[in-house]
Amino acid sequence: KAQHRRYCIIAKNFSIKILALAKIPNRLMKFNLFGGRFMDNAMFCFQCQETAGNKGCTIKGVCGKEPQTARFMDMLMYATRGLAAVNYKLREKGLACKDAEHLILDALFSTITNANFDDNALKAKIAKTFSHKDELIAYAKENGVALPEMDEIWFKVEQHDYLSFNDKVGVLSETNEDVRSLKQLIVYGVKGLAAYVEHALNLNFEDDEIYLVMEEALYAVSSHDLSADELTAMVLKVGSAGVKGMALLDKANTTTYGNPEITKVNLGVRNNPGILISGHDLKDLEELLEQTQGTGVDVYTHGEMLPANSYPFFKKYPNFVGNYGGSWWHQKEEFSTFNGPILFTTNCIVPPKADANYIGKIFTTGSAGLPGAIHIAPREQGKQKDFSPVIAMAKQCQPPQEFEKGELIAGFAHHQVLQLADKVIDAVKQGAIKKFVVMAGCDGRMKSRSYYTEFAEALPQDSVILTAGCAKYRYNKLPLGDIGGIPRVLDAGQCNDSYSLVVIALALKDAFGLEDVNQLPIVYNIAWYEQKAVIVLLALLSLGVKNIHLGPTLPAFLSPNVVNVLVQNFGIGGISTVEEDIKNWIA
């Protein structure tokens, strides 16, 4: 025994030296003496663009996600795949459960990057998903519905074991790199799709065909006998459902709030206390504005909520002031000067430091969550959410500090742009507009994202930028001018509104009598960050759009072989320098 202990000490010291040389944190790895391997990362996540080293976060999420939070998310996804598989089999018999559909949406949305950091909320969602899955299994047996033998359906996990099965439920449980890559591409596409579908659901718009594809996709990810070709086909099927999901949300938003119109959005502040609403959900904004009327409290949008200023419906509220701040990653500085409470309706949360002066002023709702934040409960049937705690806090706060003045022009969704179609087409025919550059997608913290500002500045004066998403904050305040009265930056709205860019491109194709959208003078230079950008990409691929450039890096979850397939079949590429890309794509 003494000799064995000495061998263990020697092995341990040897492993520490190797780890130190390799600069790998020793405390996060387990040395397997007999296998000679390093095992058990504290976590593994590579779903966002900022993942560590463009390989994967193993210590703590760059987003701020703690290791145990990542593991809870892995378990929630595992439980959700099982629930989706059971409901998919019930759907084949016309017995699909509506509650299961909604649980799946919430789980997927909760695991999107920067959406939910609350371990207790995640554990509650896991328990609820497992419980509902068991109920559906019993329901399937009662109705003679055969369920396949797959772990996600039958494996039981107790609450005290949620953190103990990462090897079984985590991303790396699939050991084939190419299969894992395709499966994660499907999963992240479905997560992005769930965000669009949940926003539409909040406005009482649904589509059973989309639920079918989402469940089928999660069922496919749980399967171990699908070929790479079958998984690739599922990737494109998810993309096609993405087009339907974006169209559904567009219909929900415009039916409820009217078509966005060209609007000058105020960037200054007033001398009243305010509430800053961030995220994407327009239903939450509507109810907040309704409840703040006559209270002396103003409402400002932040980040991806900026496009709400362009909807006719919201302009009737006199306390709806304008937009405060820029994209999501600036929030630590901007929230500290806003003074009032901040309401997160969806993702784009950056966990604040313990000494932040706004630490006690954050509220979350919907699928969003943050430890220490006050969570606004879901709306009950036929009622509004109760935002009175947010309003009460706002009344006790000082007005926002002003850090910029002026206006932004927004509201160039497809309905508005198509009203300008004749003017745009004439400008193209006369040579005044020679290129449309789609610069949609996400913003992020990496210094390399200054590329997008420099690219916009370097574009020739006969180029028009089509944008949607928070990527626009890299250039939407630049003095880029116009072409015959047509602004050189046409902002279609949120990342949720990327459908507008598809509609505009297809309308231009028809207007010029072209057979293929790829014949248009359009360049796609898309910045991505999280999973809603993934579903936009898959939607474009499903429509046959080619030669899309992604940056600032290609996704870490794409294996070299999968990247090769995307390059060969769709012309997917990365970015280089501004000078080279302008030369190769524009000139």
Side-chain angles (χ1 to χ4, degrees):
K1 289 182 180 179
Q3 188 176 20
H4 177 71
R5 281 197 297 271
R6 283 195 295 273
Y7 286 152
C8 288
I9 291 170
I10 292 169
K12 180 179 179 182
N13 290 337
F14 184 60
S15 68
I16 290 172
K17 289 178 181 178
I18 294 174
L19 290 166
L21 288 171
K23 298 182 180 178
I24 302 173
N26 179 41
R27 64 187 175 83
L28 295 172
M29 298 290 188
K30 185 187 297 179
F31 185 72
N32 182 335
L33 181 62
F34 302 103
R37 295 180 292 119
F38 298 102
M39 306 168 63
D40 294 347
N41 293 324
M43 60 176 284
F44 185 82
C45 180
F46 60 176
Q47 69 175 3
C48 84
Q49 187 275 321
E50 290 183 349
T51 193
N54 204 38
K55 293 180 180 179
C57 293
T58 59
I59 301 172
K60 180 180 179 178
V62 172
C63 64
K65 187 165 53 184
E66 296 293 340
Q68 77 278 0
T69 308
R71 288 178 174 239
F72 284 134
M73 288 185 175
D74 287 343
M75 183 58 73
L76 179 55
M77 283 302 303
Y78 180 80
T80 302
R81 292 198 302 269
L83 179 61
V86 177
N87 210 42
Y88 174 60
K89 288 300 177 181
L90 287 170
R91 191 179 298 278
E92 290 180 336
K93 303 295 183 180
L95 299 172
C97 173
K98 185 61 66 178
D99 287 343
E101 295 169 355
H102 299 167
L103 272 178
I104 291 167
L105 287 182
D106 178 62
L108 291 168
F109 204 171
S110 297
T111 58
I112 278 180
T113 301
N114 285 351
N116 200 312
F117 298 85
D118 189 337
D119 291 350
N120 290 329
L122 293 171
K123 285 189 285 186
K125 292 175 191 291
I126 295 168
K128 189 173 183 179
T129 304
F130 274 132
S131 175
H132 200 69
K133 183 187 73 173
D134 289 342
E135 292 175 8
L136 290 192
I137 289 173
Y139 181 63
K141 289 179 178 179
E142 291 172 5
N143 288 274
V145 178
L147 299 175
E149 292 296 327
M150 57 174 55
D151 284 351
E152 279 87 341
I153 292 179
W154 302 107
F155 187 64
K156 303 288 185 182
V157 184
E158 301 299 330
Q159 187 159 348
H160 62 273
D161 288 330
Y162 285 170
L163 297 178
S164 304
F165 291 95
N166 232 50
D167 291 343
K168 192 177 187 69
V169 306
V171 171
L172 298 180
S173 60
E174 175 56 67
T175 56
N176 183 298
E177 183 183 22
D178 295 330
V179 171
R180 179 171 66 237
S181 179
L182 289 169
K183 286 188 174 182
Q184 293 310 307
L185 187 54
I186 291 169
V187 168
Y188 301 148
V190 170
K191 283 188 179 187
L193 176 56
Y196 298 156
V197 175
E198 183 165 300
H199 290 309
L201 175 62
N202 290 340
L203 297 173
N204 298 315
F205 283 75
E206 293 186 88
D207 185 337
D208 286 341
E209 291 184 8
I210 297 175
Y211 291 134
L212 167 63
V213 174
M214 295 177 72
E215 291 166 2
E216 183 183 4
L218 294 175
Y219 176 78
V221 169
S222 302
S223 174
H224 297 291
D225 55 6
L226 293 183
S227 67
D229 287 344
E230 290 172 312
L231 289 171
T232 301
M234 181 54 67
V235 168
L236 294 177
K237 193 168 187 176
V238 170
S240 182
V243 177
K244 289 183 179 179
M246 289 188 286
L248 179 69
L249 179 56
D250 181 79
K251 182 179 180 181
N253 285 340
T254 56
T255 301
T256 308
Y257 303 118
N259 285 296
E261 56 194 18
I262 299 173
T263 301
K264 293 181 179 180
V265 182
N266 174 49
L267 300 179
V269 299
R270 300 197 303 204
N271 196 32
N272 297 322
I275 296 171
L276 192 60
I277 182 168
S278 191
H280 305 76
D281 198 273
L282 298 183
K283 184 65 175 178
D284 288 335
L285 174 61
E286 175 194 345
E287 293 178 354
L288 179 65
L289 287 171
E290 191 65 32
Q291 293 173 40
T292 52
Q293 281 195 103
T295 63
V297 174
D298 288 337
V299 175
Y300 298 78
T301 58
H302 177 266
E304 283 274 59
M305 198 62 82
L306 162 67
N309 290 273
S310 301
Y311 284 91
F313 179 90
F314 298 121
K315 294 180 180 181
K316 68 182 181 183
Y317 295 100
N319 62 325
F320 189 32
V321 178
N323 191 70
Y324 190 93
S327 62
W328 62 273
W329 64 279
H330 295 285
Q331 63 190 246
K332 291 184 178 181
E333 297 79 21
E334 294 165 355
F335 291 178
S336 65
T337 60
F338 184 74
N339 295 331
I342 300 101
L343 173 64
F344 280 104
T345 64
T346 61
N347 58 319
C348 298
I349 301 173
V350 178
K353 293 182 179 179
D355 60 351
N357 67 345
Y358 59 91
I359 192 73
K361 298 178 180 178
I362 297 178
F363 293 78
T364 59
T365 191
S367 297
L370 184 71
I374 301 171
H375 192 76
I376 302 299
R379 60 183 61 85
E380 297 177 10
Q381 186 69 33
K383 296 182 179 179
Q384 294 186 348
K385 289 183 181 179
D386 181 10
F387 290 115
S388 58
V390 192
I391 299 168
M393 181 180 287
K395 289 180 177 180
Q396 305 302 314
C397 296
Q398 293 295 313
Q401 297 178 38
E402 187 170 79
F403 66 93
E404 66 179 334
K405 295 181 179 180
E407 297 173 328
L408 279 176
I409 304 296
F412 289 96
H414 61 87
H415 182 266
Q416 181 66 78
V417 173
L418 293 183
Q419 287 187 329
L420 301 172
D422 291 343
K423 194 172 184 179
V424 172
I425 292 167
D426 286 343
V428 173
K429 289 180 177 179
Q430 294 170 12
I433 296 177
K434 292 184 179 177
K435 285 284 185 181
F436 296 95
V437 185
V438 176
M439 294 181 68
C442 317
D443 196 12
R445 289 168 285 213
M446 294 180 72
K447 291 183 179 179
S448 58
R449 286 182 181 263
S450 62
Y451 161 93
Y452 294 101
T453 303
E454 295 164 10
F455 186 89
E457 290 176 318
L459 283 171
Q461 292 297 308
D462 53 15
S463 301
V464 171
I465 296 173
L466 302 175
T467 191
C470 61
K472 61 174 164 276
Y473 282 107
R474 287 285 172 176
Y475 44 79
N476 66 347
K477 297 175 184 179
L478 297 176
L480 297 180
D482 62 80
I483 299 174
I486 301 168
R488 290 192 57 229
V489 177
L490 299 181
D491 179 10
Q494 299 177 345
C495 56
N496 296 351
D497 298 315
S498 296
Y499 176 71
S500 276
L501 305 183
V502 173
V503 173
I504 292 168
L506 294 176
L508 289 173
K509 175 184 76 74
D510 293 339
F512 289 110
L514 303 176
E515 295 181 359
D516 187 343
V517 71
N518 294 297
Q519 295 174 309
L520 284 168
I522 292 183
V523 171
Y524 296 87
N525 189 8
I526 296 177
W528 82 283
Y529 177 73
E530 41 94 312
Q531 297 74 62
K532 282 176 283 182
V534 174
I535 191 59
V536 172
L537 171 65
L538 299 188
L540 291 173
L541 296 184
S542 74
L543 292 170
V545 176
K546 295 186 177 182
N547 301 319
I548 298 171
H549 298 274
L550 291 178
T553 59
L554 292 179
F557 55 81
L558 295 180
S559 69
N561 287 333
V562 171
V563 169
N564 287 338
V565 170
L566 292 174
V567 170
Q568 292 169 8
N569 293 344
F570 299 101
I572 292 289
I575 61 173
S576 57
T577 66
V578 170
E579 294 76 14
E580 282 295 312
D581 292 343
I582 292 287
K583 175 183 174 182
N584 293 329
W585 308 341
I586 309 297

